[in-house]
Amino acid sequence: MADQLRLTVDGRDVLVPAGATILGAAEAAGVEIPTLCHHPLLKPSGACRMCLVEVEGARGLLTACSTPASGGMIVRTRTDQVVAARRTVLELLVSEHPLDCLTCESTGDCRLQDYAYEYSVTGRDVAGLPNTPAADGRQAKLDDSNPFLVRDLNKCILCGRCVRICHEVMGYGAIDFVSRGATTKVTTAFDVPLEESPCVFCGNCLTICPTGALQAKTGRGLGRSFQYDRVRTICTFCGVGCSLDLHVRDGRIIGASAAEGPANRGLVCVKGHFGHDWIQSPDRLTTPLIRAGDGTFRRATWDEALDLVASRLAEIKAAHGPDAIGGLASAKCTNEENYLFQRMMRAAIGTNNVDHCARL
Amino acid sequence: MTNSNWEFEHSEAIFIIGSNTTEAHPVIGAVVERGRQAGATLIVADPRQTEMARRADIHLQHIPGTDVALLNAMMHVIVTEELQNREFIAERTEGYAELAGLVAKEYSPERAEQITGVPAGQIAAAARAFAKAGRGAILYSMGITQHTTGVDNVRSIANLAMITGNIGRYGTGVNPLRGQSNVQGACDMAALPGNLPGYQLVADAAHRAKFENAWGVELSTRPGMTLTEMINAAADGGIKAMYIMGENPMISDPDLNHVEEALRSLDFLVVQDIFLTETARLADVVLPAAAYAEKDGTFTNTERRVQLLRRAVPAPGESRADWQIIGDLSARLGHPLSYRGPAEIMDEIAGLTPIYGGVSHERLASGAGLQWPCPDRTHPGTPFLHRERFSRGRGQFAAISYRPAAEQTDGEYPVILTTGRILYHFHTGTMTRRVAGLHATVPEGYIEINDRDAAEMGLASGDKVRLTSRRGSLVTVARVLPTVLRGVAFMPFHFAEGAANVLTNAAFDPVAKIPELKVCAVRIEPVAAAGAPAVADAGQTQGGGVR
């Protein structure tokens, strides 16, 4: 078929639609190719050079993320030449990267760390290059002036994922590359703090940052990815239905992150990303309350409170009929709860006076 | 929505009216942005130049409450320039001639310009761009529905979708963006006075019989009251007791002074919530509930997708999940509702609700969700509706004439006030105002006033202003901006102190009973800055912190 291409990746035959990249073909063949700058929501940029592969008949190595597959291609992803090239890429990146993984918030959730481990790159392999930006006076200051995000540009590997998601997906373009060569960095226009830029703090940049250059401000020091459980759930705010992972350690929520779900495809907004502290607010109600004779509330047991509610509703129903009682269910409660609420109003009380805030 | 979130990535024209998408539904805003960058024409109708309007190819900055005139004028251009989809109209719809006759005769863009304030040329350009696109999607939200003409507005949107054949296909549709995590599900589950689960009808004997058999009781045939009607009935003495679960009408409802009077006049008020909200403070009994992160269950999102919630942490103190509280209370009322858990409740729902027939927690565990209608256990769900036919057969065009909003400006109340949401807060603020970062970003309420209007009033950003409508008065802080239409002011409704809904009009749509939160008439007056006395109903509205 003309709209399908057949090629070989590491000896495996694979059929892909025309227009697929070599990376896409490798995925279809079940072959994993390392990437740092590639992301499925973003246009290919070929910036990081981690995905280099050998293609029979091609001059030099090609970037799998940005090279279209073609029929009859023979691709090899783990030859000595490929592995050596990836090691060089990693050595150059790590030579400029702080080696403070002991205390880095992103340890265990860092692609650079994973690949350095996989390719045995220590950061001491590039003769003549300093192993931290500090050594040549390029130490960047930590930017934590806003309430949501911490930027540590010393850990930035200039993959451009954050820049591209801000431009290509969110449409704000709050950050971009500035300067050239060794002084290139990602920042706002005129290098102002994020809160003075068009940034809306969705934090989708931090979701896809492959290193610790972008971190959530809340939850710092409370636990790293290997110390907390991720509980997949749905965000409680608007009706988009974003999938979220709540980060739970010792029975407490210490953070949240965007999860890959059909409604949000890994995206989230500032409320979904950083807006869950209220769950553990000291203001939460913890016992039933009954209004006392003097007008103040007193604490009550569940039996006491529910008995009172049931007897008062029964009295009012007896005196004025079921339609003297009205119930408001909730757009913040589950389907199961709304179903039970209306069943109780209709079957136990006997009225159709049930509604909720759909109109508000 | 008739269609799904990510289809807008592939729409060729996207028309957003009455939705501040990037702030109120930010992730759908991102999908629209991807569509725009892929070449879709973006048309935004909004009285304010929102972020989405700023990005639009065409921004129709219309006066609040004039949506029908604007939409009719777009259809006037489509009909007179013969841009309508004849094949779709002939095969799938009825009532076209009447609509076409009305818009052609009475709604020229020039006449609409007089009503809406939008230049006729812009209306025509928007109509042409939308009609000529192969796949056109319409997105709207409460900016369309919260009007005394809410139903007219929605039907006009349906007219525009059908006249251009933009329904029943991928990347098109009539797409209301639902504002709360489970507002779609609460409707589906019949937390509505006239419905039984799955939009079965209280008024239909066969539908009622099915539930009477399942629940073992006889059901009332008397139609119930909507929220706005219940509040009025409470004030009049027709409603003596209310049970309010997870809602805060003391901030969210129109004309708050009236709401407070109504709730205070009840013989008995129960509020079940996670915080002692403004509404809970008026209750006789307060029942502490678990939050979303503390329970299992399902939410149904704006694209009709049922998705699984999972319990992450225990609920604090003695608070309990709402389904457990209702079960125990219902038993005391003589109708036991006892289940092992939410999965078993969903099985009961699936058995009684055809559109949820194939939904179970077990199927949802994969994470893909299921979009209703999903009639049986093998059905994959429905990404977009009305593919072959409409629920009623043919799509019904409605010839609708423009009616002005219930309250008009005059010499005493010369400014149109419209309300809405902002990015950093949610609904009545009970959750987001307790998040340090969100609170620090926008700590207090404010009003957006057009810069030229402000100059005439002698106001600058940060000045305190007194707002007065026919129903109430409050003090807040001015934000002077060029992005809001002249003669219009905008207030977010999230803030309990200086609550916007003290001012809003409770007049409602005759059919949907939705209040006109998007249009009321107010007066704006400067409040003397130095040594001004504290204002009781204004709370923390000190200057500064304006972002």
Side-chain angles (χ1 to χ4, degrees):
Chain A
M1 284 195 308
D3 53 352
Q4 296 266 304
L5 307 168
R6 184 179 293 282
L7 64 157
T8 308
V9 182
D10 287 350
R12 300 185 201 181
D13 263 4
V14 62
L15 203 62
V16 293
T21 60
I22 294 177
L23 184 65
E27 273 165 19
V31 172
E32 198 180 322
I33 294 177
T35 60
L36 287 167
C37 70
H38 171 78
H39 190 278
L41 276 178
L42 307 175
K43 292 179 194 138
S45 79
C48 74
R49 321 307 285 179
M50 269 304 285
C51 67
L52 291 171
V53 293
E54 203 176 284
V55 174
E56 204 167 282
R59 247 184 347 170
L61 301 176
L62 303 178
T63 49
C65 74
S66 57
T67 308
S70 56
M73 239 181 197
I74 296 169
V75 180
R76 295 187 189 91
T77 76
R78 295 205 69 90
T79 64
D80 289 349
Q81 195 195 359
V82 165
V83 171
R86 287 183 191 152
R87 277 202 94 234
T88 304
V89 168
L90 286 169
E91 279 165 4
L92 290 166
L93 289 174
V94 175
S95 74
E96 287 212 307
H97 195 86
L99 298 177
D100 64 348
C101 304
L102 282 176
T103 53
C104 180
E105 210 49 51
S106 297
T107 281
D109 188 18
C110 172
R111 281 201 180 202
L112 186 64
Q113 189 182 46
D114 292 345
Y115 292 144
Y117 178 81
E118 187 180 338
Y119 289 83
S120 302
V121 172
T122 62
R124 300 185 185 88
D125 300 348
V126 185
L129 280 179
N131 80 343
T132 68
D136 63 356
R138 284 188 285 121
Q139 177 75 45
K141 232 174 65 207
L142 204 73
D143 171 13
D144 65 350
S145 58
N146 73 79
F148 306 109
L149 290 170
V150 176
R151 290 194 300 162
D152 183 353
L153 295 187
N154 300 306
K155 291 179 179 169
C156 175
I157 58 169
L158 302 174
C159 69
R161 279 179 167 204
C162 57
V163 170
R164 286 183 289 145
I165 201 163
C166 197
H167 286 253
E168 294 177 20
V169 180
M170 298 311 297
Y172 289 93
I175 48 173
D176 211 331
F177 292 106
V178 300
S179 302
R180 293 176 150 208
T183 60
T184 307
K185 67 173 179 176
V186 172
T187 190
T188 57
F190 308 108
D191 213 5
V192 298
L194 281 176
E195 63 274 22
E196 292 170 31
S197 78
C199 174
V200 292
F201 300 103
C202 61
N204 290 317
C205 52
L206 111 76
T207 305
I208 67 168
C209 176
T211 73
L214 294 168
Q215 299 166 9
K217 193 165 180 179
T218 52
R220 272 166 71 84
L222 298 181
R224 295 185 282 189
S225 65
F226 47 88
Q227 294 171 303
Y228 58 72
D229 296 323
R230 286 170 180 263
V231 180
R232 177 69 49 89
T233 193
I234 303 299
C235 182
T236 194
F237 294 115
C238 80
V240 175
C242 298
S243 290
L244 281 186
D245 281 345
L246 296 176
H247 304 169
V248 180
R249 188 180 186 193
D250 300 332
R252 286 187 66 77
I253 295 168
I254 59 169
S257 51
E260 190 69 34
N264 64 315
R265 299 197 184 168
L267 301 177
V268 73
C269 78
V270 61
K271 297 186 291 294
H273 211 155
F274 306 111
H276 305 278
D277 297 359
W278 58 268
I279 297 168
Q280 284 147 183
S281 161
D283 299 345
R284 284 287 300 275
L285 292 167
T286 55
T287 67
L289 303 172
I290 292 176
R291 190 173 295 282
D294 63 357
T296 61
F297 284 118
R298 67 171 174 84
R299 289 169 182 262
T301 65
W302 273 107
D303 278 339
E304 199 184 357
L306 290 175
D307 285 346
L308 176 63
V309 173
S311 65
R312 291 290 285 130
L313 291 179
E315 280 166 31
I316 289 167
K317 181 178 163 181
H320 304 284
D323 289 338
I325 300 171
L328 298 181
S330 176
K332 274 85 70 184
C333 288
T334 64
N335 285 318
E336 291 79 0
E337 290 162 344
N338 278 286
Y339 171 81
L340 286 195
F341 188 92
Q342 62 86 35
R343 179 170 165 182
M344 176 184 72
M345 292 304 295
R346 293 193 157 101
I349 294 182
T351 180
N352 286 309
N353 288 339
V354 53
D355 199 11
H356 72 290
C357 61
R359 296 170 185 81
L360 303 169
Chain B
M1 307 199 299
T2 58
N3 290 55
S4 299
N5 291 359
W6 283 83
E7 292 182 22
F8 312 133
E9 198 180 18
H10 300 120
S11 301
E12 291 164 37
I14 303 170
F15 177 31
I16 300 179
I17 180 165
S19 156
N20 181 3
T21 319
T22 56
E23 293 204 58
H25 300 87
V27 168
I28 291 181
V31 179
V32 170
E33 175 63 15
R34 285 177 68 76
R36 190 186 72 84
Q37 289 193 21
T41 304
L42 177 61
I43 304 158
V44 174
D46 200 298
R48 293 188 299 151
Q49 191 198 52
T50 57
E51 173 68 21
M52 203 50 110
R54 195 185 61 74
R55 296 176 188 180
D57 296 284
I58 303 170
H59 176 200
L60 309 170
Q61 198 164 9
H62 64 312
I63 295 166
T66 63
D67 305 87
V68 167
L70 182 69
L71 293 162
N72 276 353
M74 287 175 69
M75 289 186 275
H76 172 100
V77 175
I78 289 167
V79 168
T80 55
E81 297 185 9
E82 302 198 356
L83 299 171
Q84 72 272 38
N85 186 328
R86 289 174 193 284
E87 193 184 325
F88 186 92
I89 293 167
E91 289 174 9
R92 298 284 310 268
T93 70
E94 58 194 29
Y96 173 72
E98 201 192 336
L99 169 74
L102 175 78
V103 298
K105 188 157 158 262
E106 295 183 29
Y107 290 92
S108 69
E110 291 70 25
R111 178 175 173 233
E113 178 174 338
Q114 300 298 315
I115 301 169
T116 63
V118 181
Q122 277 188 25
I123 298 174
R128 289 177 197 126
F130 189 75
K132 287 176 182 171
R135 284 187 298 274
I138 308 175
L139 280 58
Y140 68 92
S141 193
M142 296 310 226
I144 275 293
T145 53
Q146 286 177 338
H147 292 277
T148 48
T149 59
V151 169
D152 287 352
N153 292 351
V154 172
R155 296 204 74 179
S156 298
I157 285 173
N159 284 343
L160 179 61
M162 290 194 294
I163 208 171
T164 54
N166 277 309
I167 194 149
R169 287 183 294 125
Y170 181 89
T172 67
V174 171
N175 299 290
L177 309 181
R178 306 305 305 260
Q180 308 204 37
S181 51
N182 199 35
V183 65
Q184 183 64 54
C187 293
D188 298 346
M189 293 300 106
L192 295 171
N195 289 108
L196 291 162
Y199 306 97
Q200 298 172 86
L201 300 170
V202 168
D204 183 312
H207 292 170
R208 232 172 27 244
K210 178 161 84 171
F211 287 90
E212 287 175 336
N213 281 334
W215 297 346
V217 293
E218 200 176 319
L219 293 176
S220 168
T221 58
R222 290 181 302 278
M225 287 183 231
T226 62
L227 187 161
T228 33
E229 291 170 318
M230 280 186 230
I231 296 290
N232 288 342
D236 297 345
I239 291 270
K240 302 288 186 192
M242 284 188 77
Y243 190 138
I244 301 179
M245 170 176 82
E247 290 218 351
N248 191 10
M250 279 298 297
I251 302 293
S252 61
D253 288 24
D255 192 359
L256 292 180
N257 294 332
H258 174 63
V259 174
E260 179 167 356
E261 181 195 319
L263 294 179
R264 283 189 187 282
S265 63
L266 289 169
D267 290 352
F268 189 60
L269 174 63
V270 187
V271 174
Q272 181 168 311
D273 214 315
I274 57 176
F275 291 109
L276 193 67
T277 61
E278 291 73 12
T279 306
R281 285 191 195 116
L282 302 178
D284 297 290
V285 179
V286 178
L287 303 175
Y292 85 102
E294 297 154 359
K295 60 193 178 188
D296 295 324
T298 57
F299 282 167
T300 304
N301 79 349
T302 190
E303 54 178 1
R304 298 167 281 102
R305 191 187 301 274
V306 189
Q307 303 191 98
L308 208 54
L309 251 71
R310 289 185 183 82
R311 184 173 181 269
V313 289
E318 294 171 37
S319 59
R320 304 174 70 203
D322 296 277
W323 65 269
Q324 294 171 312
I325 304 172
I326 299 161
D328 280 2
L329 177 62
S330 193
R332 283 170 164 83
L333 292 167
H335 186 75
L337 294 173
S338 172
Y339 301 85
R340 285 191 299 275
E344 192 184 1
I345 304 173
M346 181 52 82
D347 291 341
E348 178 176 318
I349 295 166
L352 291 165
T353 312
I355 58 173
Y356 277 65
V359 176
S360 70
H361 282 210
E362 193 185 351
R363 283 189 78 186
L364 296 175
S366 75
L370 283 168
Q371 288 177 281
W372 66 254
C374 175
D376 61 60
R377 292 288 157 113
T378 57
H379 194 284
T382 309
F384 60 86
L385 303 176
H386 315 307
R387 183 195 287 264
E388 305 287 339
R389 60 188 294 279
F390 292 101
S391 321
R392 68 182 294 277
R394 282 173 172 267
Q396 175 73 56
F397 280 110
I400 294 166
S401 296
Y402 161 72
R403 284 186 290 128
E407 188 168 76
Q408 295 294 304
T409 53
D410 57 21
E412 202 178 348
Y413 303 101
V415 176
I416 298 174
L417 177 72
T418 191
T419 65
R421 289 187 177 169
I422 60 171
L423 176 64
Y424 295 96
H425 286 291
F426 181 74
H427 220 58
T428 69
T430 43
M431 296 184 281
T432 50
R433 296 194 75 201
R434 288 184 169 90
V435 176
L438 297 173
H439 177 68
T441 306
V442 187
E444 61 182 9
Y446 56 87
I447 184 165
E448 291 185 1
I449 302 172
N450 174 276
D451 54 351
R452 286 154 72 191
D453 290 345
E456 285 174 10
M457 291 184 246
L459 289 173
S461 276
D463 286 356
K464 277 193 196 178
V465 290
R466 174 163 286 281
L467 306 178
T468 308
S469 77
R470 291 184 174 86
R471 292 152 294 277
S473 181
L474 58 87
V475 173
T476 190
V477 178
R479 286 191 186 188
V480 173
L481 296 163
T483 49
V484 56
L485 194 64
R486 287 206 75 173
V488 176
F490 167 84
M491 260 186 102
F493 68 91
H494 310 294
F495 302 91
E497 59 294 340
N501 281 322
V502 165
L503 306 167
T504 50
N505 189 358
F508 52 72
D509 182 277
V511 179
K513 313 288 168 69
I514 191 166
E516 192 147 66
L517 296 174
K518 296 299 187 231
V519 187
C520 75
V522 296
R523 178 168 72 241
I524 303 175
E525 297 159 305
V527 173
V535 181
D537 60 353
Q540 43 172 258
T541 49
Q542 288 78 24
V546 176
R547 188 165 183 268

